[in-house]
Amino acid sequence: MINILKQEFNKIFKKDALGVYFAPGRINLIGEHTDYNGGYVFPYALSIGTYALVSKRDDFVVRMYSMNFENEGINSFELSTDKPLADNWCKYPLAVINTLKDHGYNVNTGFDVLYYGEIPNGAGLSSSASIEVVTANMLRNIGGFGYTDKDMALMCQEAENVYAGVNCGIMDQFAIALGKKEHAIFLDTKTLEYEYAPLKLAGLKIVIMNTNKKRKLGESKYNERRCECENALESLKKILDVKCLCDVSVEEFEANKQLIEDDNARKRAKHVIYENARTKEAFVALCNNDFEKFGSLMNASHTSLKEDYEVTGIELDTLVAKANKCKGVIGARMTGAGFGGCAFAIVKEAFVDEFIEKVGNEYKNTIGYEATYICL
Ligand code: GLA
């Protein structure tokens, strides 16, 4: 693969690439919509991701090319321009350059970069966080900057919030910057303390199911959920001494939920608080290789995202409902922000082919187009 990318770099920029960088995509095993509520998340870095091949220049020009958007050709930017912006895919790497600048890491060497992304765009597998992190890592090397992986995750989140216009939490950038092969990362988004948990999938497969639904309203609905959580928190604060929703225990919530007058805000808070508790249980279950427990927590998470958080939709629900009727399935749920994107199931290896066929047929019949599958 890397040789093909090097040849492509040579073809496009008429010189050799001097560095090759990679950042993965991610799925979140459980802990959905908890990261902007100070809770736990449990993401897992994928083996597929984004490659960046780079070569320095001796001027202040940055040239970017993506093999995923070949017909856009080479995009050129001047580093001397205060904060270069773009309205195509280049907005993500440019957002990183601008954020680094804001933190005093002045990118003042021009470079040519070729990107190749293996993660389908807009599928909720964090293709944007992946291109951000691969860019920050590449720039750390070519600029000789001393930021840590944790700093890199935080700056990439800021890049997305400030320059790419999505008010996301820290999960994706953190999972990608600090992800470790064959390990999930149990992250406390309040303190940024984390622990790795080995994912020993002996005899089991993770099957990612991409709805292939184009997300349109996703970003605005995401921000709407954030506001609803803030409203619920304000109501609970009248009695409870808490800073974020995930400071509230399940028992405290049940005893005080009537304080939240708005029905929707109460449902959103319920999801977040119970999901946080499920995530802690899921970490323990995975450490004990208790996949049965893990699977039941996955199913409960999906139901809560469907009924209380209301971010699933017919595409994700069809995949998950059918998955749960198939033989050899341990659990299934949506992953990421929702509103389309991907779900995943944990399936006994011997049943994977049958699973994909059955879920595939049901999805096509109900939704009218195909879902696509990635087996890990
Ligand atoms: C998106 C965001 C994350 C997180 C998830 C939902 O992936 O980027 O920060 O909020 O949605 O869990």
Side-chain angles (χ1 to χ4, degrees):
M1 162 62 93
I2 290 181
N3 279 337
I4 298 175
L5 298 180
K6 282 184 173 166
Q7 279 167 20
E8 190 69 15
F9 187 95
N10 208 288
K11 198 174 108 199
I12 302 296
F13 293 117
K14 315 275 182 277
K15 58 181 169 178
D16 289 337
L18 293 182
V20 180
Y21 300 85
F22 174 80
R26 67 98 190 90
I27 55 168
N28 186 23
L29 297 179
I30 194 162
E32 219 64 87
H33 291 279
T34 48
D35 68 344
Y36 49 87
N37 288 299
Y40 287 95
V41 291
F42 203 13
Y44 176 65
L46 303 175
S47 52
I48 54 169
T50 313
Y51 290 86
L53 279 73
V54 70
S55 157
K56 276 196 194 182
R57 301 172 56 89
D58 43 23
D59 54 17
F60 295 102
V61 174
V62 174
R63 295 195 299 164
M64 299 181 180
Y65 179 86
S66 167
M67 287 170 66
N68 302 81
F69 298 95
E70 281 174 345
N71 52 7
E72 290 186 19
I74 297 177
N75 298 266
S76 292
F77 304 93
E78 283 284 340
L79 281 176
S80 46
T81 312
D82 187 27
K83 300 254 169 81
L85 296 171
D87 53 16
N88 64 356
W89 63 271
C90 297
K91 73 177 172 191
Y92 298 104
L94 291 177
V96 172
I97 294 176
N98 294 342
T99 308
L100 291 180
K101 228 180 208 177
D102 293 341
H103 285 262
Y105 300 108
N106 220 340
V107 180
N108 52 16
T109 327
F111 56 90
D112 291 326
V113 59
L114 173 139
Y115 291 102
Y116 173 62
E118 300 169 303
I119 316 163
N121 292 325
L125 302 176
S126 288
S127 57
S128 59
S130 181
I131 192 173
E132 286 157 9
V133 171
V134 81
T135 303
N137 190 18
M138 167 187 96
L139 292 173
R140 175 164 64 181
N141 273 290
I142 65 173
F145 302 137
Y147 45 80
T148 63
D149 289 346
K150 216 183 220 181
D151 298 335
M152 191 161 82
L154 285 164
M155 288 191 291
C156 288
Q157 180 200 11
E158 191 179 314
E160 180 102 25
N161 293 167
V162 176
Y163 296 104
V166 182
N167 208 7
C168 64
I170 186 63
M171 170 168 75
D172 303 345
Q173 289 79 6
F174 203 95
I176 288 168
L178 286 103
K180 193 162 124 181
K181 216 175 170 202
E182 281 156 27
H183 286 73
I185 183 163
F186 181 61
L187 169 69
D188 179 346
T189 61
K190 196 172 165 193
T191 60
L192 294 190
E193 278 169 20
Y194 61 96
E195 249 180 275
Y196 291 106
L199 194 56
K200 299 192 202 98
L201 285 170
L204 298 172
K205 287 269 177 203
I206 290 182
V207 183
I208 300 176
M209 306 174 272
N210 185 353
T211 60
N212 288 324
K213 179 187 180 186
K214 294 282 157 250
R215 287 195 282 189
K216 285 200 196 95
L217 284 172
E219 283 163 19
S220 59
K221 289 271 175 207
Y222 184 90
N223 290 339
E224 188 181 295
R225 292 293 175 278
R226 286 195 74 142
C227 288
E228 289 166 334
C229 289
E230 277 155 30
N231 291 345
L233 177 64
E234 283 316 306
S235 308
L236 291 172
K237 272 182 169 171
K238 286 183 197 143
I239 291 207
L240 300 175
D241 179 20
V242 289
K243 292 210 165 48
C244 52
L245 272 186
C246 291
D247 283 345
V248 181
S249 68
V250 164
E251 294 72 27
E252 283 170 329
F253 173 73
E254 290 300 335
N256 295 290
K257 62 185 179 195
Q258 75 290 346
L259 289 174
I260 311 171
E261 279 170 26
D262 181 70
D263 287 347
N264 278 340
R266 196 178 325 108
K267 278 161 72 178
R268 311 307 183 226
K270 178 178 171 212
H271 163 76
V272 169
I273 292 163
Y274 278 80
E275 179 79 351
N276 198 41
R278 276 190 289 271
T279 308
K280 288 188 260 183
E281 279 186 72
F283 171 65
V284 176
L286 201 72
C287 292
N288 294 332
N289 270 328
D290 184 350
F291 278 99
E292 208 173 305
K293 174 79 185 166
F294 195 84
S296 70
L297 292 164
M298 282 173 66
N299 294 339
S301 168
H302 187 86
T303 306
S304 173
L305 286 156
K306 177 179 179 213
E307 289 171 5
D308 291 326
Y309 218 64
E310 297 181 281
V311 292
T312 55
I314 184 165
E315 298 82 2
L316 287 165
D317 290 337
T318 302
L319 289 174
V320 168
K322 184 65 189 174
N324 273 319
K325 285 193 208 121
C326 292
K327 270 195 226 138
V329 172
I330 307 290
R333 62 179 291 274
M334 56 152 271
T335 186
F339 318 104
C342 288
F344 74 98
I346 301 183
V347 186
K348 289 188 184 149
E349 211 162 346
F351 294 97
V352 167
D353 291 344
E354 182 183 327
F355 172 88
I356 292 178
E357 196 196 319
K358 292 213 159 123
V359 175
N361 287 339
E362 173 92 3
Y363 188 80
K364 176 86 199 290
N365 290 340
T366 314
I367 306 298
Y369 53 82
E370 309 264 358
T372 40
Y373 304 86
I374 304 172
C375 287
L376 306 179

